[in-house]
Amino acid sequence: RARLRQFPSLVNCCTIDWFNQWPPEALQSVASSFFQDIPDPEATPEVIEGMIQMCVEIHQSVAQKCKVYLAELGRHNYVTPKSYLELLSIFTTLIGKKKQELKVAKTRMKSGLDKLLRTAEDVAKMQEELELARPLLAEAAKDTLVTMEQIEVDTAVAEETRNDVQAEEMKAKVKAQTAQAIADDAQKDLAEALPALDAALASLRNLNKNDVTEVRAMQRPPLGVKLVIEAVCIMKGVKPKKVAGEKP
């Protein structure tokens, strides 16, 4: 201390190696305090002790390699207690992260297994229902076959009926054409007879009592008058009377 007071540059211009190595007992104690805070119910004391020994071994092996590094390359690489604390911190963080990943994977696997079990139960239930419904399906298939056969028979009957209907339709068309031809002829005859009817009606309107008296007074009416009188008697339904006289 007296020398450092006499020569302050020894402190100001030099780097003092304050880093002392921890003994294995201290490393184990610190690691034990870190791993005791891990909330893992599955971690047995044997597992925790193995992790502690592994961390101690890693720290000590790195310290040995630093000495080899210094001897071969002449460069210092310090492994301090802080490095050991960072190792423990990273290790515990990694354990927590991996535990979370395993928990998520376990949850997914459990969910998948539950779905598979439910699916297997549903399949078994559907198989039972299918076995129960198999007789009904067979009966329905049989009824369907009978229905198809009946449909074939009905189709044949319907086809035959359709052919008959088409034949009757053709006959009806022929009759309709014939009736139309007759109607056309009748209309033609009617058109030819209408002028004569109109003329007869006009002549009838011009008849008077004297004309009727004159006709009644005729002993031998002309052929035209006789033909008209006979037509009127036929239309009125008057039966002819036999009158004695000369034969025509």
Side-chain angles (χ1 to χ4, degrees), residues 156-196:
V157 174
E159 185 67 21
E160 184 178 356
T161 304
R162 186 174 67 85
N163 295 332
D164 295 340
V165 170
Q166 288 180 351
E168 293 296 332
E169 184 180 1
M170 294 299 296
K171 293 179 181 180
K173 286 182 179 180
V174 173
K175 291 182 180 180
Q177 292 175 356
T178 304
Q180 186 63 36
I182 295 172
D184 294 340
D185 293 340
Q187 185 66 31
K188 183 179 178 181
D189 295 339
L190 179 62
E192 294 176 355
L194 282 177

Side-chain angles (χ1 to χ4, degrees), residues 90-214:
I90 293 172
F91 191 73
T92 53
T93 303
L94 183 62
I95 289 176
K97 182 179 179 181
K98 292 299 180 182
K99 289 290 294 182
Q100 185 65 27
E101 292 178 358
L102 290 175
K103 183 178 180 180
V104 172
K106 181 180 178 181
T107 303
R108 290 180 179 177
M109 185 179 68
K110 186 176 182 300
S111 177
L113 290 176
D114 293 339
K115 289 181 180 180
L116 289 176
L117 291 175
R118 286 197 299 269
T119 303
E121 293 176 357
D122 294 339
V123 170
K125 185 177 179 181
M126 292 174 64
Q127 287 179 348
E128 292 178 359
E129 293 177 353
L130 181 61
E131 290 296 331
L132 293 175
R134 193 180 297 276
L136 299 177
L137 293 175
E139 186 67 23
K142 184 178 179 181
D143 294 341
T144 303
L145 183 60
V146 173
T147 304
M148 291 296 295
E149 293 176 354
Q150 185 63 37
I151 289 174
E152 291 179 358
V153 174
D154 294 341
T155 302
V157 174
E159 185 67 21
E160 184 178 356
T161 304
R162 186 174 67 85
N163 295 332
D164 295 340
V165 170
Q166 288 180 351
E168 293 296 332
E169 184 180 1
M170 294 299 296
K171 293 179 181 180
K173 286 182 179 180
V174 173
K175 291 182 180 180
Q177 292 175 356
T178 304
Q180 186 63 36
I182 295 172
D184 294 340
D185 293 340
Q187 185 66 31
K188 183 179 178 181
D189 295 339
L190 179 62
E192 294 176 355
L194 282 177
L197 178 61
D198 294 336
L201 290 175
S203 299
L204 182 61
R205 294 189 189 94
N206 295 327
L207 288 177
N208 52 32
K209 185 177 180 181
N210 295 328
D211 295 331
V212 175
T213 301
E214 182 180 357

Side-chain angles (χ1 to χ4, degrees), residues 42-60:
E42 298 179 358
T44 61
E46 292 79 6
V47 174
I48 294 176
E49 183 64 25
M51 291 190 295
I52 293 172
Q53 294 298 330
M54 181 189 66
C55 292
V56 172
E57 182 65 25
I58 290 173
H59 182 74
Q60 290 179 346

